[in-house]
Amino acid sequence: ASFKEADIEALLLILSHCGQQLRSDDPSALKEIVILVKDQAQKPRDDAEADSSRINFMLDTVMSLKNNKPGKQHAVIREKTNQLKKVVGRIKTAA
């Protein structure tokens, strides 16, 4: 079976939140994911449920992660994480 829209969205969501951590903690697992994603993306699709532009976007995201090229979304997540860390630090200090 090939990618469905839900598969693509789930994988993008997971990689956007923990892809860099996976890359640093277990590069071999990331490599396996990249191989599986490439194989799935190349399979012919019976239905038109999974939009090819979404698949291409997912492949670009996975390849950027593999090549350690963080995208704009990664910068936004990193900034939000830093803001939350500061808030937690202030709460700890005040307690």
Side-chain angles (χ1 to χ4, degrees):
S2 60
F3 284 120
K4 304 256 187 268
E5 187 71 24
D7 300 332
I8 295 169
E9 293 301 323
L11 188 57
L12 284 172
L13 182 66
I14 291 167
L15 290 177
S16 69
H17 287 284
C18 61
Q20 286 292 359
Q21 190 68 40
L22 176 64
R23 186 180 198 287
S24 63
D25 289 350
D26 193 358
S28 62
L30 180 62
K31 184 177 180 179
E32 289 178 35
I33 291 171
V34 169
I35 291 169
L36 290 171
V37 167
K38 282 183 178 180
D39 290 346
Q40 282 291 101
Q42 292 174 351
K43 286 184 180 180
R45 294 191 314 266
D46 296 335
D47 59 351
E49 185 179 346
D51 183 20
S52 65
S53 63
R54 277 311 267 171
I55 292 174
N56 288 336
F57 177 74
M58 180 185 56
L59 286 173
D60 290 344
T61 302
V62 169
M63 295 310 292
S64 294
L65 180 62
K66 180 185 88 105
N67 295 328
N68 201 20
K69 295 181 184 176
K72 294 177 193 173
Q73 188 175 8
H74 179 66
V76 170
I77 291 171
R78 185 174 55 234
E79 180 62 31
K80 294 225 183 252
T81 302
N82 287 337
Q83 289 173 355
L84 289 172
K85 284 181 181 178
K86 289 178 185 177
V87 170
V88 169
R90 282 183 256 161
I91 291 171
K92 283 182 177 180
T93 304

